[in-house]
Amino acid sequence: MEYILPDKLPAALGLQNAGIAASLASCRFLRTAVSRRILSALPPLPEELPQARVLLFAELTVKSPEQLSELCRVMTITMNHKSILTTTSGAVLREIASWCGDQALLLSLDKTRFPIFASLQVLDTASCELLALYEQKVRGLLFGVLPHAHRRRLELRLRQSDLCEPVAFAPDDPDEAFFLRYLALALEYCDAKG
């Protein structure tokens, strides 16, 4: 229940009155029953996923809106590492470092081997404006790779402005596996950073 935005709690409980929902959620005697009610209304988690994906998606569904934004920025930077590494303008690199909020990430790009996408387009030229637009693409792909049940759980944590339309990879698209690898790397990086 701590993973649900307060304004999403009434809908999650099937109530119209936010005050009643807040009262139910704040009562320590009812907390377990309220949690069970919310979980019973959510679609069941898929059982056929490989264990690595289960762990990856479980970690993703408990991210706060701020953590999700940071994760998308890290993925955007790493996925577009080639265009950033070929940028020669110090001013542009400083702007990118400011945009992503992490100069150490930029400095680590040339020391890391990243997967190469087969067909997913990445940026040829890096700028803050282009990276910000690409971040929206990353967010859509992120929502697209999540199974419906995981996506519903994540949506309970996010404001409406943080949501986006899911963009799915085509069946058997090898880029989906590469995208999931970038997701795993970004989660690892963000968790290590604290």
Side-chain angles (χ1 to χ4, degrees):
M1 215 167 43
E2 65 272 9
Y3 300 124
I4 299 174
L5 283 178
D7 56 331
K8 297 218 174 171
L9 192 57
L13 288 171
L15 299 171
Q16 292 186 0
N17 188 313
I20 292 173
S23 295
L24 289 172
S26 65
C27 179
R28 67 184 175 113
F29 299 113
L30 295 174
R31 187 163 292 165
T32 303
V34 169
S35 292
R36 265 187 267 152
R37 168 67 182 103
I38 292 168
L39 286 175
S40 71
L42 291 170
L45 295 172
E47 296 177 10
E48 72 280 353
L49 290 176
Q51 186 63 21
R53 282 196 187 191
V54 168
L55 296 173
L56 192 67
F57 295 155
E59 186 175 353
L60 185 60
T61 58
V62 295
K63 295 294 182 196
S64 70
E66 294 76 22
Q67 291 170 322
L68 184 66
S69 291
E70 178 186 18
L71 182 72
C72 288
R73 282 191 304 273
V74 169
M75 289 181 70
T76 298
I77 294 293
T78 56
M79 289 169 66
N80 292 287
H81 64 280
K82 285 185 178 182
S83 64
I84 294 169
L85 289 172
T86 59
T87 301
T88 57
S89 169
V92 171
L93 289 171
R94 282 189 293 280
E95 286 177 9
I96 292 171
S98 176
W99 175 78
C100 77
D102 192 350
Q103 186 175 359
L105 175 62
L106 296 183
L107 295 173
S108 70
L109 291 178
D110 66 339
K111 299 175 190 112
T112 308
R113 290 183 46 90
F114 294 105
I116 305 297
F117 290 109
S119 59
L120 182 67
Q121 294 295 311
V122 294
L123 298 175
D124 295 326
T125 306
S127 71
C128 284
E129 296 80 18
L130 292 173
L131 289 168
L133 289 172
Y134 200 89
E135 180 189 5
Q136 293 307 308
K137 177 178 182 171
V138 168
R139 189 176 287 261
L141 290 168
L142 193 58
F143 277 81
V145 296
L146 283 174
H148 177 71
H150 288 89
R151 190 168 51 247
R152 286 286 302 126
R153 284 158 174 77
L154 181 60
E155 288 169 352
L156 289 174
R157 298 188 51 74
L158 302 176
R159 299 174 296 262
Q160 194 63 33
S161 62
D162 295 321
L163 300 175
C164 70
E165 192 66 34
V167 178
F169 285 93
D172 299 322
D173 186 341
D175 284 342
E176 182 177 10
F178 296 142
F179 183 82
L180 291 172
R181 181 69 185 128
Y182 276 101
L183 172 59
L185 289 169
L187 283 168
E188 184 180 309
Y189 181 84
C190 291
D191 289 345
K193 194 175 127 184

